[in-house]
Amino acid sequence: MTKETEAVLQLLGRYEDQILAEWLQEAGAASTRLTDATRRAMRSEAEEILHAVRPALQAGADPDNFQAPAWNVLRQTLEGLSRSRAAQGQSAGDTSVFVLAFKRPLFLAIQRDMAGRADDQMAAVWAVTTMVDRMAQWTVATYQQTREEIIKRQQQDLLELSTPVIKLFDGVLAVPMIGTLDSARTQVVMETLLQRIVETGSTLAIIDITGVPTVDTLVAQHLLKTVSAIRLMGAECIISGIRPQIAQTIVHLGIDLHGIASKASLADALELAMAQRGYVVTRAK
């Protein structure tokens, strides 16, 4: 343990309650705009960080090397803070500002305790600055990582929601496609559809592309791959929603849909599916 970190550790032990109160005040916890629950949450966060800083300093942690094992507990505490705030929708800036507010009460404690010892004051200020800056940087990095994970999870959820597999009647499934069909979405469609084929024992799947704005070579390849996977599962496929513009594009691109049943509308595809299954629909007089 260096002389500077030892001095900071002594200040934390001597003035902990005062440092905590001044930290919360600096962080805006006293604001009338905050609810009591928010103030309690901020106090709990500050206490957790304080209780993680002291053991790290006691273990001889170097503020210049924040990746050292001695900082493990503090890093985990800061990660928890970042993830919690990211999940609540708070910004990385707000989280970083909260951690940086820890500086001022430490500076005030240094000023009170080391009056007239300029060299000791500067050394302690530098140690505190380095430590708190590293803490703030760690929270920002963790926050960004957490937000990326949340966004990816939301994108995956949206993909699954945008590609529902519907059981129309016994043995027949339908997948209404809406929006752009890319590789990631095709994979989700394929996995979901194949799983439903297994679960329901269906032998026919209707893929409706009425809501797909354009069909190019890549989209056609994705459709063909999906159809191939369905056939490997022992089922057949009908593609519906082939509008005149899409039909012209497919012909123009030289895409071969030979052997794949296709219909202009979902109603036509449903009629074909029912005929293949031996169903007859009649209108009541």
Side-chain angles (χ1 to χ4, degrees), residues 153-189:
R153 200 160 55 242
Q154 290 173 339
Q155 288 175 337
Q156 184 67 22
D157 291 343
L158 286 173
L159 278 176
E160 293 174 358
L161 287 172
S162 64
T163 53
V165 178
I166 305 164
K167 183 177 179 179
L168 298 178
F169 50 90
D170 190 39
V172 180
L173 301 176
V175 184
M177 305 290 294
I178 300 174
T180 304
L181 190 60
D182 56 19
S183 300
R185 193 167 177 210
T186 302
Q187 186 66 29
V188 172
V189 171

Side-chain angles (χ1 to χ4, degrees), residues 14-278:
R14 195 175 301 137
Y15 304 112
E16 181 174 342
D17 292 341
Q18 188 173 351
I19 289 172
L20 178 61
E22 291 173 349
W23 182 1
L24 293 173
Q25 184 177 1
E26 182 70 15
S31 173
T32 55
R33 294 177 298 176
L34 300 180
T35 63
D36 291 340
T38 302
R39 294 192 189 95
R40 286 195 298 270
M42 291 177 69
R43 184 179 185 86
S44 177
E45 291 167 347
E47 287 176 343
E48 282 187 46
I49 293 173
L50 270 174
H51 294 160
V53 168
R54 291 184 65 182
L57 295 177
Q58 287 171 347
D62 181 3
D64 284 316
N65 184 14
F66 201 66
Q67 297 290 342
W71 294 110
N72 282 349
V73 175
L74 178 58
R75 288 201 306 271
Q76 291 169 5
T77 302
L78 294 172
E79 287 170 9
L81 169 69
S82 294
R83 294 184 187 281
S84 173
R85 290 193 167 212
Q88 295 170 23
Q90 297 188 39
S91 69
D94 290 339
T95 307
S96 178
V97 166
F98 173 74
V99 175
L100 289 171
F102 187 27
K103 278 185 185 181
R104 182 174 175 81
L106 288 174
F107 289 165
L108 292 174
I110 291 170
Q111 187 178 33
R112 285 192 300 264
D113 205 64
M114 300 181 183
R117 294 151 51 198
D119 291 342
D120 291 341
Q121 279 186 338
M122 287 302 299
V125 165
W126 180 253
V128 165
T129 300
T130 303
M131 180 183 70
V132 178
D133 285 350
R134 296 288 189 276
M135 290 166 58
Q137 289 168 3
W138 189 260
T139 58
V140 171
T142 305
Y143 181 96
Q144 291 173 339
Q145 181 181 353
T146 303
R147 289 299 297 170
E148 288 173 4
E149 291 171 357
I150 291 173
I151 290 170
K152 287 180 181 178
R153 200 160 55 242
Q154 290 173 339
Q155 288 175 337
Q156 184 67 22
D157 291 343
L158 286 173
L159 278 176
E160 293 174 358
L161 287 172
S162 64
T163 53
V165 178
I166 305 164
K167 183 177 179 179
L168 298 178
F169 50 90
D170 190 39
V172 180
L173 301 176
V175 184
M177 305 290 294
I178 300 174
T180 304
L181 190 60
D182 56 19
S183 300
R185 193 167 177 210
T186 302
Q187 186 66 29
V188 172
V189 171
M190 193 181 300
E191 291 175 358
T192 307
L193 181 53
L194 295 181
Q195 183 62 35
R196 288 287 286 157
I197 287 173
V198 172
E199 292 173 355
T200 61
S202 299
T203 55
L204 182 63
I206 300 173
I207 299 178
D208 182 63
I209 61 171
T210 305
V212 177
T214 58
V215 173
D216 54 18
T217 305
L218 188 61
V219 171
Q221 288 175 350
H222 291 326
L223 288 173
L224 292 174
K225 287 179 181 178
T226 303
V227 172
S228 298
I230 292 170
R231 285 177 169 173
L232 286 173
M233 296 295 295
E236 286 299 323
C237 182
I238 300 173
I239 298 178
S240 65
I242 306 291
R243 302 186 301 277
Q245 301 91 331
I246 290 180
Q248 292 177 29
T249 301
I250 290 174
V251 172
H252 210 41
L253 294 172
I255 298 167
D256 184 14
L257 296 181
H258 179 70
I260 302 174
S262 59
K263 290 294 180 180
S265 68
L266 180 58
D268 293 338
L270 182 57
E271 184 179 350
L272 176 60
M274 295 182 71
Q276 289 182 358
R277 292 296 173 272

